[in-house]
Amino acid sequence: MAALWKGVASAGASDPNETADVSFKRRSLTGPEVKALLAAAPNEAARLILEVYARTGARRAELLSLTRNRILKAGDQWRATLLGKGSKGKGPKERVVILPQAVAERVLALPPNDKGRVFPYAARTVDAWFEKARKAAGLEDGVCLHCLRHTFAS
C-alpha cells in the first residue's frame, strides 16, 4: 500500500480519487539482466533461490514454505507444489510449477534442516540478498524481487 501512495504522490495526486491516470510499471527482466543478477548473488544459496524465483514465478512466501516432499519427479519432469495464502479464509492455495532438472537436483542436494523447508531463510534475508545482487548487477532501483515473477510470466 505504501508503494501505491508513493506512486500516487509522485504523479502529483493528493486524493485517492485522482488516481485514474496513475500507472504503475510492472517490469520484467531481460535474459542478460537475469544472468547478471544471478552472477552477482552474494552466495550460492542466494543464487539458487533467485534462480528458482525466476524460473517458476513463485511468490516469496510460496518459495520459503517449500518442503522437500513437495518436489517430485513426474515422468521426465520435476514438479514443485507451492503453497500460498488462500483468500478470505479459504485456506492455503496449491500451485504446481515445473522445475528444470538441473535446478531441482541442486535444490534437493541442499542439506536438510530441522524445519523441513528447502529454503530456511527469513523473508528479510532473501530481500537483502536480492538488493545486494541487484545493486552489484547494476539494475535500477525500481527492480524488485517481485519483478522475477513478472519475468517468468512474460
Side-chain angles (χ1 to χ4, degrees):
M1 198 59 153
L4 171 70
W5 286 110
K6 186 176 179 181
V8 168
S10 70
S14 59
D15 183 319
N17 296 323
E18 297 175 12
T19 62
D21 296 328
V22 176
S23 66
F24 296 95
K25 184 178 179 187
R26 295 288 183 180
R27 170 133 151 56
S28 57
L29 304 180
T30 64
E33 287 175 326
V34 172
K35 285 182 182 179
L37 183 72
L38 296 178
N43 56 55
E44 270 308 309
R47 185 173 295 109
L48 181 56
I49 200 166
L50 293 176
E51 184 174 0
V52 174
Y53 270 108
R55 290 181 174 260
T56 64
R59 293 174 178 90
R60 182 179 55 205
E62 291 173 333
L63 207 50
L64 294 180
S65 67
L66 181 63
T67 56
R68 290 176 180 279
N69 64 340
R70 287 190 269 139
I71 300 174
L72 302 169
K73 190 168 186 178
D76 61 348
Q77 288 184 333
W78 284 92
R79 298 178 183 188
T81 302
L82 304 174
L83 291 179
K85 289 183 187 177
S87 60
K88 301 188 190 255
K90 295 180 183 177
K93 179 180 176 184
E94 280 191 8
R95 199 162 58 91
V96 178
V97 296
I98 305 296
L99 285 176
Q101 181 174 339
V103 173
E105 289 172 353
R106 286 174 41 219
V107 168
L108 292 173
L110 293 171
N113 63 72
D114 59 341
K115 294 183 180 178
R117 295 182 311 174
V118 173
F119 300 112
Y121 308 108
R124 68 180 174 272
T125 299
V126 175
D127 290 343
W129 286 344
F130 177 83
E131 273 303 300
K132 281 185 180 181
R134 182 195 60 75
K135 288 177 182 175
L139 299 174
E140 70 270 13
D141 285 343
V143 174
C144 61
L145 185 60
H146 192 77
C147 289
L148 291 176
R149 183 168 164 77
H150 292 281
T151 300
F152 172 77
S154 62

